[in-house]
């Protein structure tokens, strides 16, 4: 028996205590009959075997693939996969849509994958999701968003299971249970829900500095997207493509939203979580119903398949690293259009099963140790979540390609198989079928690659750089985006109860950027430690979301405030112009029903009581009600102003803005005498820029 270790001294408390203590101060006695519980001070397997390392999977050499004889990896991941009944452990909160992927035909030189060849149209099902929260949590929490695409190709299903951030917290999949356990609510109280603003998360990432780059993304505006329509997607890992000649290249997948990249501001996210927790799924479904499909272009960063699997000094097997687009252009190879909502949420959105191992000829995985663990984890998860091995027979998971797999029986078997020879080779089936396919018949054949090296639990030396790309990310942000990152870190760390965690995380930030660390430290009322940020990073403008050229406004929502006597012809004219752009106009009035002018009427779609600013990308006040006042309207307009959204009025509507305290000379305030084409052109251009950021001067601590 190992000697007992001396209990640690009482933790040092922060001056403010916004949450419950993070540490358990007393160990409850354990009865002898319960000796199998967590009683050892040393890490063990579930069988009591002591473990020297739980951070690195067993690999064939530091850069080799993970090995099946890593019993600890398999036990740890298997148990984690089965922690939740019945919802997903992660990505429980999701929304989805059907659509079509159309290939441009310019990827043929890189891959033989059929769905990427010219003229191919492939049915798809896409599920968007948050990571940490339960199915009942809010859509707009600060979190990573899943962006999973199931292609029903002629060669079998291909799943591109990605996120809205191109990097991840960890480098090795064996640590996935650790990061999720740390990010989930504290197990004693099950709070906070769907948040990282608590001790266990920041304890882990401050101790595990390979998470630093991803934390920068999560604390940026990327962590609170405006909608799924305006959210990028990434395959995260490096994949290997194979063309018809057997030539290979390495690739990273990107989804580029046609509507541009756009996020909420923090106050909006908080309002939405209370006023409309279904904000993102509602926007997705309503946009499709309104005839504004979601559109994305698939892009490839294609790089040589070199022996060291690096590009411009960047290790392509490290999932915490990106390849800046300025170093390797993203080549657009197809368009994804989501234009049909699910018929039944449970049957489709809830039962869909993605798996990173669902590959097609022409696309292979690499030895990225996070990817290697996912190849096991996803299939294992579905076995429990969907009640057995026959989940592929569910309509949403069923491939559109012909199937003859020799798999039999098991729970929820719905197929009635015929024949007596579900094995190979056989002489009792019809001509010995199913017979193995030839390469010429589209068989998936792995490209031969040499694998050698000692069995080790370690990372290559190139994985040791945890800060330079975090510095690159921060250096690539505009001033307003940096201000948001500072505020996010200050808020999150301000919610931590243990002051040593705050201090340790400041030490991490000191190695990212001095300005960032100093500002966050000032917000926490703590001294800023010294660090050694990378000094030679070259900013990547592609990482910033702030745009200077207006984009399309399809799917956006414009509110028009009016009451009896308003300019109804002007509202109707504006509605026609808005709908021609694929956007939506909603009439907002003091009361429900209709508003009138002479013999004309218009139907009210929102009242001051039933709406909040989060619904709108722009608010206009119609002419004809100069004395319209209401406290709720004042709050609505004030929020729109603070959030740098477009505000406008025509005719005497500007008097309503002035009465509500809106500075009509501020940037992004659009005034006109009438609804005419020059005004709508100006309005649509302002909407295409997402926000009038010039309205804000970022606060400096």
């Amino acid at each position: 028996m190992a000697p007992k270790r001396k209990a640690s001294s009482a933790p040092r408390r922060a001056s403010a205590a916004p949450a419950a203590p993070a540490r358990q101060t007393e160990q409850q006695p354990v009865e002898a009959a319960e000796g199998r519980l967590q009683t050892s001070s040393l890490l063990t397997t579930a069988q009591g075997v002591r473990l020297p390392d739980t951070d690195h999977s067993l690999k064939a050499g530091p850069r080799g693939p993970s090995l099946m004889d890593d019993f600890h990896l398999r036990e740890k991941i298997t148990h984690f996969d089965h922690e939740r009944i019945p919802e997903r452990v992660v990505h429980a909160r999701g929304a989805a849509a059907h659509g079509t992927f159309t290939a441009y035909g310019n990827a043929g030189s890189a891959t033989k994958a059929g769905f990427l060849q010219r003229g191919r149209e492939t049915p798809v099902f896409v599920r968007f999701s948050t990571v940490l929260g339960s199915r009942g949590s809010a859509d707009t929490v600060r979190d990573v968003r899943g962006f999973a695409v199931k292609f029903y190709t002629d060669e079998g299903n291909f799943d591109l299971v990605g996120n809205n951030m191109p990097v991840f917290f960890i480098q090795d999949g064996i640590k996935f249970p650790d990061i999720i356990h740390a990010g989930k609510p504290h197990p004693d109280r099950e709070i906070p829900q769907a948040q990282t603003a608590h001790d266990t998360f920041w304890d882990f990432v401050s101790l595990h500095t390979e998470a630093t780059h991803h934390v920068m993304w999560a604390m940026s505006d990327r962590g609170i997207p405006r909608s799924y329509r305006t959210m990028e997607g990434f395959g995260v890992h490096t994949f290997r493509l194979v063309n018809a000649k057997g030539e290979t290249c390495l690739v990273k997948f990107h989804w580029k939203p046609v509507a541009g990249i756009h996020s909420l501001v923090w106050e909006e996210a908080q309002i939405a979580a209370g006023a409309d927790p279904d904000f993102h799924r509602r926007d997705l479904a309503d946009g499709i119903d309104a005839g504004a499909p979601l559109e994305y272009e698939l892009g490839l960063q294609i790089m040589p398949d070199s022996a060291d699997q690096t590009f411009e000094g960047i290790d392509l097997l490290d999932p915490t690293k990106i390849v800046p687009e300025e170093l390797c252009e993203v080549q657009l190879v197809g368009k994804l259009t989501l234009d049909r909502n699910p018929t039944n949420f449970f049957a489709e959105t809830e039962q869909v099963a993605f798996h990173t191992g669902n590959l097609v000829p022409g696309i292979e995985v690499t030895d990225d140790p996070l990817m290697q663990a996912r190849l096991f984890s996803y299939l294992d998860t579905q076995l429990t979540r969907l009640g057995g091995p026959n989940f592929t027979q569910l309509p949403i998971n069923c491939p559109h390609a012909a199937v003859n797999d020799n798999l039999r029986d098991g729970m929820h078997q719905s197929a009635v198989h015929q024949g007596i020879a579900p094995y190979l080779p056989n002489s009792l089936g019809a001509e010995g079928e199913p017979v193995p396919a030839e390469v010429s018949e589209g068989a998936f054949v792995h490209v031969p690659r040499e694998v050698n090296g000692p069995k080790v639990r370690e990372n290559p030396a190139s994985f040791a750089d945890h800060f330079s790309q975090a510095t690159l990310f921060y250096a690539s942000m505009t001033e307003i985006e940096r201000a948001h990152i500072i505020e996010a870190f200050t808020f999150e760390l301000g919610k931590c109860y243990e002051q040593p965690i705050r201090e340790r995380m400041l030490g991490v930030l000191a190695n990212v950027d001095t300005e960032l660390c100093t500002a966050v430290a000032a917000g926490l009322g703590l001294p800023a430690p010294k660090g050694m940020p990378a000094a030679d990073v070259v900013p990547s403008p592609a990482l910033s979301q702030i745009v200077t050229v207006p984009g399309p406004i399809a799917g956006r929502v414009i509110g028009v405030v009016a009451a009896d006597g308003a300019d109804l012809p002007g509202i109707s004219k504006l509605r026609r112009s808005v709908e021609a752009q694929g956007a939506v106009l909603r009439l907002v009035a003091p009361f429900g029903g209709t508003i009138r002018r002479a013999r004309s009427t218009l139907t009210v779609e929102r009242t001051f009581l039933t709406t909040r600013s989060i619904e709108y990308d722009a608010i206009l006040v119609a002419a004809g009600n100069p004395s319209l006042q209401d406290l709720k309207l004042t709050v609505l307009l004030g929020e729109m102003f603070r959030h740098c959204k477009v505000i406008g009025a025509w005719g005497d509507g500007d008097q309503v803005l002035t009465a509500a305290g809106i500075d009509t000379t501020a940037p992004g305030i659009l005034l006109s005498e009438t609804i005419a084409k020059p005004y709508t052109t100006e309005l649509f251009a302002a909407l295409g820029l997402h926000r009038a950021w010039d309205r804000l001067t970022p606060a400096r601590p």
Side-chain angles (χ1 to χ4, degrees):
M1 179 179 293
K4 293 184 178 180
R5 297 187 176 181
K6 185 177 180 180
S8 59
S9 58
R12 190 154 41 102
R13 304 297 186 196
S15 55
R23 301 183 186 181
Q24 194 171 338
T25 55
E26 285 188 28
Q27 181 68 43
Q28 298 298 321
V30 178
E31 300 294 334
E34 299 178 355
R36 63 178 301 275
L37 298 180
Q38 311 299 309
T39 57
S40 173
S41 63
L42 301 178
L43 181 66
T44 74
T45 68
Q47 308 303 319
V49 177
R50 293 179 179 178
L51 295 167
D53 184 353
T54 191
D55 289 342
H56 306 90
S57 56
L58 191 66
K59 296 182 278 289
R63 297 182 62 74
S66 299
L67 301 175
M68 284 294 290
D69 61 342
D70 189 349
F71 59 87
H72 174 46
L73 166 69
R74 287 186 285 110
E75 178 188 71
K76 185 176 180 181
I77 293 292
T78 297
H79 193 282
F80 171 74
D81 291 340
H82 298 191
E83 281 182 5
R84 297 292 184 274
I85 301 172
E87 72 176 26
R88 291 165 167 87
V89 179
V90 289
H91 298 279
R93 172 79 174 181
H98 295 271
T100 303
F101 177 80
T102 303
Y104 295 157
N106 56 336
S109 61
T111 178
K112 61 184 178 183
F115 77 97
L116 288 174
Q117 306 310 308
R118 184 176 300 279
R120 294 289 181 90
E121 291 191 357
T122 303
V124 299
F125 188 71
V126 179
R127 188 177 189 271
F128 305 103
S129 55
T130 54
V131 173
L132 290 176
S134 67
R135 282 188 62 192
S137 58
D139 279 349
T140 58
V141 295
R142 182 179 293 281
D143 199 356
V144 182
R145 297 310 190 280
F147 193 132
V149 183
K150 184 178 290 292
F151 296 83
Y152 301 97
T153 86
D154 294 339
E155 299 174 297
N157 287 355
F158 168 55
D159 292 351
L160 183 55
V161 194
N163 289 330
N164 72 322
M165 300 176 189
V167 292
F168 204 64
F169 289 103
I170 54 176
Q171 295 168 322
D172 194 313
I174 198 172
K175 289 180 286 191
F176 193 71
D178 298 303
I179 179 58
I180 299 302
H181 285 167
K184 285 284 189 178
H186 289 205
D188 55 347
R189 303 185 183 189
E190 188 65 11
I191 56 175
Q193 175 65 237
Q195 296 182 50
T196 55
H198 57 92
D199 288 79
T200 58
F201 174 79
W202 289 103
D203 183 43
F204 179 86
V205 298
S206 63
L207 290 167
H208 229 71
T209 54
E210 68 193 54
T212 305
H213 187 197
H214 191 280
V215 167
M216 295 299 297
W217 282 78
M219 294 301 107
S220 76
D221 293 342
R222 304 277 187 152
I224 43 175
R226 162 63 179 84
S227 65
Y228 298 135
R229 178 188 304 275
T230 57
M231 185 178 80
E232 272 190 301
F234 303 90
V236 180
H237 307 283
T238 300
F239 290 76
R240 178 170 284 105
L241 299 185
V242 187
N243 66 17
K245 298 178 181 178
E247 299 165 335
T248 64
C249 62
L250 299 179
V251 66
K252 285 185 175 290
F253 291 102
H254 295 245
W255 290 109
K256 297 290 187 182
V258 173
I261 312 164
H262 183 31
S263 293
L264 298 170
V265 296
W266 181 231
E267 186 184 25
E268 281 183 294
Q270 293 176 302
I271 293 171
D276 186 6
D278 305 307
F279 184 72
H280 284 151
R281 63 169 64 181
R282 190 187 308 280
D283 180 89
L284 168 68
D286 287 354
I288 291 175
D289 284 344
L294 284 70
E295 297 179 313
Y296 311 83
E297 290 186 289
L298 178 62
L300 306 179
Q301 280 185 301
I302 299 175
M303 295 155 285
D305 191 0
S306 59
D308 61 3
Q309 298 176 89
T310 65
F311 182 79
E312 297 290 338
I314 301 166
D315 192 332
L316 298 179
L317 301 187
D318 183 351
T320 69
K321 301 293 193 300
I322 64 166
V323 176
E325 294 184 26
E326 292 77 11
L327 294 181
C328 183
E329 178 186 5
V330 176
Q331 303 176 43
L332 302 178
V333 299
K335 189 173 186 179
L336 171 65
T337 303
L338 301 180
D339 56 8
R340 181 164 64 90
N341 285 312
T343 302
N344 182 276
F345 184 92
F346 178 82
E348 298 172 283
T349 306
E350 192 60 23
Q351 290 196 127
V352 67
F354 295 96
H355 177 28
T356 52
N358 288 346
L359 303 166
V360 291
I363 303 177
E364 297 187 8
V365 301
T366 56
D367 295 337
D368 170 349
L370 176 61
M371 168 65 95
Q372 291 281 308
R374 292 179 78 193
L375 293 174
F376 169 78
S377 179
Y378 281 63
L379 179 59
D380 179 62
T381 295
Q382 310 304 349
L383 295 174
T384 289
R385 192 176 68 83
L386 294 173
N390 292 307
F391 61 86
T392 57
Q393 296 178 18
L394 295 169
I396 195 62
N397 298 318
C398 191
H400 293 193
V403 173
N404 195 342
D405 52 23
N406 271 353
L407 304 179
R408 292 293 186 271
D409 305 337
M411 294 180 66
H412 308 302
Q413 176 60 257
S414 59
V416 180
H417 292 101
Q418 299 180 12
I420 61 171
Y423 53 86
L424 287 177
N426 76 72
S427 64
L428 301 178
E431 300 182 6
E433 294 180 350
V435 297
E438 302 291 340
V439 175
S440 60
E441 297 173 301
F444 190 111
V445 179
H446 289 85
V447 173
R449 296 186 62 82
E450 183 176 335
V451 174
N452 59 64
K455 292 183 180 181
V456 292
R457 290 190 185 275
E458 61 182 59
N459 281 338
S462 55
F463 277 37
D465 175 14
H466 297 166
F467 300 116
S468 65
Q469 287 213 340
T471 301
L472 164 67
F473 182 82
Y474 190 74
S476 303
M477 298 294 102
T478 62
E479 187 174 9
I480 189 67
E481 290 171 307
R482 292 186 188 186
H484 290 167
I485 291 172
I486 290 170
E487 291 168 358
F489 272 110
T490 306
F491 172 85
E492 295 263 327
L493 294 173
K495 290 285 189 176
C496 289
Y497 185 75
E498 302 286 347
Q499 184 159 312
I501 295 175
R502 301 182 186 187
E503 294 171 344
R504 187 165 61 241
M505 194 62 211
L506 286 174
V508 172
L509 296 182
N511 288 318
V512 175
D513 185 89
T514 301
E515 172 199 61
L516 170 64
C517 178
T518 301
V520 174
L524 297 174
L526 296 172
K530 299 293 184 182
M532 296 183 64
D536 56 350
V537 300
V538 178
S540 172
L543 297 177
S544 172
Q545 293 188 158
I546 305 299
V547 296
T548 57
V549 178
I553 65 166
R556 301 301 179 87
V557 180
I558 300 170
V560 175
V561 176
D564 288 339
D567 177 14
L568 302 195
I571 296 173
S572 297
K573 183 177 181 180
L574 177 62
R575 186 186 296 273
R576 290 192 294 271
S577 298
V578 167
E579 292 179 349
Q581 297 292 320
V584 175
L585 184 146
R586 289 182 180 150
L587 183 57
V588 186
F591 305 102
T594 60
I595 59 172
R596 297 177 175 273
R597 181 175 180 176
R599 296 184 178 181
S600 300
T601 63
L602 288 178
T603 301
V604 174
E605 292 153 301
R606 295 290 188 275
T607 68
F608 295 164
L609 183 62
T610 61
T611 197
R612 285 297 290 267
S613 62
I614 55 170
E615 283 197 75
Y616 309 107
D617 297 283
I619 281 283
L620 305 182
V621 179
N625 306 114
S627 60
L628 184 60
Q629 292 188 38
D630 187 287
L631 178 59
K632 297 180 184 65
L633 176 59
T634 299
V635 171
L636 173 68
L637 294 171
E639 289 175 353
M640 296 289 292
F641 188 87
R642 288 199 306 277
H643 303 157
C644 297
K645 293 183 177 180
V646 176
I647 301 174
W650 72 90
D652 54 12
D654 63 333
Q655 297 180 39
V656 177
L657 299 182
T658 301
I662 302 301
D663 178 3
T664 57
T665 66
I669 308 297
L670 310 181
L671 305 178
S672 176
E673 286 301 316
T674 61
I675 292 296
K677 187 172 182 179
Y679 184 65
T680 56
T681 299
E682 182 183 15
L683 170 65
F684 298 156
L687 271 175
L689 293 173
H690 305 309
R691 298 184 194 269
W693 290 119
D694 292 345
R695 199 182 295 165
L696 285 186
T697 301
R700 285 292 186 199

